[in-house]
Amino acid sequence: MVDLNPIWHNVAFVRQLASLRAAYVRSHDVFTAEQAQTSQRLGDHIERLMAGADNDDADDGEGNYVSRRMLLDIENRAVIAADVALRKSFVTAVYHLWERSVQRWSIFGGKGNPNHADLVELARNAGVTGDLSALKPIHNINNALKHDNEKWLKLLDEKDYKKYVFYPYDLKHGPKPSPYEMVSLKHQDLVDLFDLMATLGPDISQPWPNMRDAFVDWELAEA
């Protein structure tokens, strides 16, 4: 039985978005705490060395010694990289939640495999009144991450969303990083995205276009 209740769609979207947001915040908090701990250990180690303490380099068990400072620095960088990867995964998750939700809201019409412009139009038809144009850079970021394609980075650059693109200092001399690596997302960017998405659910205060026709078609099909 097809569900034609916009209130159900609104509640489902709000709850799923809230669950994603809670999961992101908890994960980010864990990484933030871990980064603080590794940074503290690294700082303490450097202070001990500067105070003349004996070096406590690590022994790999085969008589080889590895710089303790290097190990702590690697650990710190790994935690930071994990937090960045977390944000990139959640951008994709949030965009696809909205994308799939729009297609469910638009059960009364629309074409298969709609592109971003189609989704925006379908969302408007579902009564969404939020700023759908603000999703354009998110769409480009999502495609840059998914497809590792520089084309989407160029769109971000051309549209003055340069804050989402990271240019390494040695870009002209060193190996060129992948588009995935060049996507830049800060914690506040994710918070802003969740706030934006919360305004882009279906509007349950007004009937959707073609709703009455859809009920008639469904009743005829069930008869």
Side-chain angles (χ1 to χ4, degrees):
M1 175 176 171
V2 176
D3 191 319
L4 299 175
N5 190 340
I7 297 178
W8 182 90
H9 286 298
N10 181 277
V11 171
F13 177 69
V14 168
R15 286 187 173 179
Q16 291 167 9
L17 185 64
S19 295
L20 274 179
R21 183 170 193 154
Y24 169 70
V25 170
R26 286 196 298 269
S27 301
H28 174 71
D29 287 347
V30 168
F31 283 127
T32 299
E34 287 188 8
Q35 185 182 346
Q37 292 172 5
T38 55
S39 295
Q40 185 65 50
R41 289 200 297 270
L42 178 59
D44 290 346
H45 176 70
I46 294 173
E47 286 184 7
R48 287 196 303 271
L49 294 179
M50 293 179 66
D54 291 337
N55 199 340
D56 56 348
D57 286 347
D59 184 347
D60 65 0
E62 298 181 359
N64 301 312
Y65 289 87
V66 182
S67 167
R68 176 73 64 182
R69 178 174 177 174
M70 180 184 295
L71 291 177
L72 289 170
D73 185 58
I74 290 173
E75 182 179 356
N76 189 47
R77 290 173 181 268
V79 173
I80 294 173
D83 196 19
V84 172
L86 174 79
R87 292 197 284 274
K88 292 179 179 181
S89 65
F90 269 90
V91 163
T92 298
V94 173
Y95 180 81
H96 281 295
L97 169 64
W98 179 81
E99 177 185 52
R100 302 306 179 192
S101 297
V102 169
Q103 294 181 63
R104 286 195 294 272
W105 305 337
S106 307
I107 196 169
F108 317 121
K111 63 183 182 181
N113 300 318
N115 59 31
H116 181 76
D118 295 327
L119 291 170
V120 168
E121 185 62 28
L122 292 173
R124 287 199 182 98
N125 290 339
V128 173
T129 57
D131 184 10
L132 288 161
S133 66
L135 277 177
K136 188 61 178 177
I138 307 304
H139 169 243
N140 293 336
I141 289 170
N142 174 66
N143 280 343
L145 293 174
K146 279 177 49 180
H147 305 299
D148 214 19
N149 190 324
E150 191 175 3
K151 174 182 75 172
W152 302 102
L153 289 178
K154 290 180 178 178
L155 287 175
L156 287 171
D157 210 10
E158 292 169 0
K159 298 298 182 181
D160 296 325
Y161 298 114
K162 292 182 174 63
K163 71 174 185 176
Y164 296 121
V165 185
F166 166 67
Y167 295 97
Y169 69 92
D170 61 348
L171 187 59
K172 292 183 178 179
H173 305 97
K176 190 172 184 179
S178 71
Y180 179 91
E181 295 171 318
M182 292 179 68
V183 171
S184 175
L185 291 166
K186 297 179 174 59
H187 170 65
Q188 189 59 46
D189 294 330
L190 265 291
V191 172
D192 292 344
L193 173 59
F194 279 110
D195 289 343
L196 170 65
M197 283 299 185
T199 69
L200 299 182
D203 185 352
I204 64 175
S205 66
Q206 59 181 340
W208 291 358
N210 304 323
M211 182 183 292
R212 181 174 300 175
D213 293 340
F215 272 114
V216 170
D217 292 342
W218 172 73
E219 288 174 347
L220 290 174
E222 291 291 304

